[in-house]
Amino acid sequence: MNASRAPSSQPFSHLDDSGRAQMVRVTGKAEQRRRAVAEGTLCLAPETLEKLRKRALPKGDVLTVAQVAGILGAKKTAELIPLCHPLPLHHVEVQFILERDRIRILGSAETVGKTGVEMEALTAVSVAALTLYDMCKAVDKGMSIEGVRLLKKEKEPIVERTDS
């Protein structure tokens, strides 16, 4: 088994002592700068990708619509994932890397808060991928969304400035 996928000996933070779902209490945690990066891939026919590049698909500028959808998805994460904390997002970015038969989707989210933004980055990628799929499905029935995963999460304590 891959070490990064080994089961954790930590208890699930979203379960109480009786095994019932609960929102994690973050009241006592310090606010920190937080950033997460996720990725996913939409696999599609090279012909579909060429039409997308030329903006020749029936639904128009697919990449711009998917980018905006991913950003909106990140902003609505707490409405979609029941136990996520609503976070004030300070930056969300969705990028596309076009390859021969796939689109690699990168999503990042940043905030200052008591809990991380991994779910927001993952949601940005997922919603962007679903939007691409929706907008291309009329011309490509064989597409697949693959490999949605977290690439990186960072947190940095906030240092109070003392100006003399």
Side-chain angles (χ1 to χ4, degrees):
M1 179 185 291
N2 183 329
S4 65
R5 292 193 181 138
S8 171
S9 60
Q10 298 285 348
F12 286 106
S13 59
H14 285 82
L15 299 178
D16 67 13
D17 293 338
S18 303
R20 291 186 302 256
Q22 68 176 1
M23 186 178 227
V24 174
R25 184 182 305 274
V26 296
T27 310
K29 293 175 79 175
E31 291 207 343
Q32 297 185 330
R33 286 183 184 89
R34 296 172 181 270
R35 180 173 184 269
V37 180
E39 75 171 349
T41 302
L42 177 72
C43 299
L44 68 173
E47 301 79 27
T48 306
L49 189 58
E50 191 56 34
K51 287 179 184 177
L52 184 144
R53 284 182 199 271
K54 293 179 179 178
R55 295 185 180 162
L57 289 166
K59 294 190 177 182
D61 187 357
V62 173
L63 293 176
T64 299
V65 174
Q67 182 181 41
V68 172
I71 292 168
L72 181 60
K75 292 168 61 173
K76 295 196 168 278
T77 299
E79 295 174 38
L80 299 169
I81 313 292
L83 299 177
C84 279
H85 293 85
L87 298 176
L89 294 176
H90 300 299
H91 185 71
V92 176
E93 186 171 5
V94 176
Q95 298 176 307
F96 303 106
I97 300 166
L98 307 180
E99 298 175 1
R100 188 183 77 75
D101 61 351
R102 63 194 62 237
I103 301 171
R104 186 168 171 228
I105 306 158
L106 295 171
S108 64
E110 297 177 31
T111 193
V112 172
K114 297 180 179 213
T115 187
V117 289
E118 301 93 322
M119 295 308 298
E120 287 73 11
L122 287 162
T123 301
V125 168
S126 298
V127 171
L130 289 167
T131 302
L132 290 170
Y133 189 101
D134 178 55
M135 295 186 76
C136 296
K137 71 181 185 256
V139 297
D140 191 341
K141 306 293 188 212
M143 293 181 295
S144 64
I145 296 169
E146 300 177 2
V148 176
R149 65 188 181 122
L150 184 67
L151 293 178
K152 179 188 329 184
K153 68 179 194 173
E154 304 165 339
K155 62 182 177 179
E156 174 186 326
I158 298 172
V159 179
E160 295 291 326
R161 287 182 44 168
T162 56
D163 294 332
S164 322

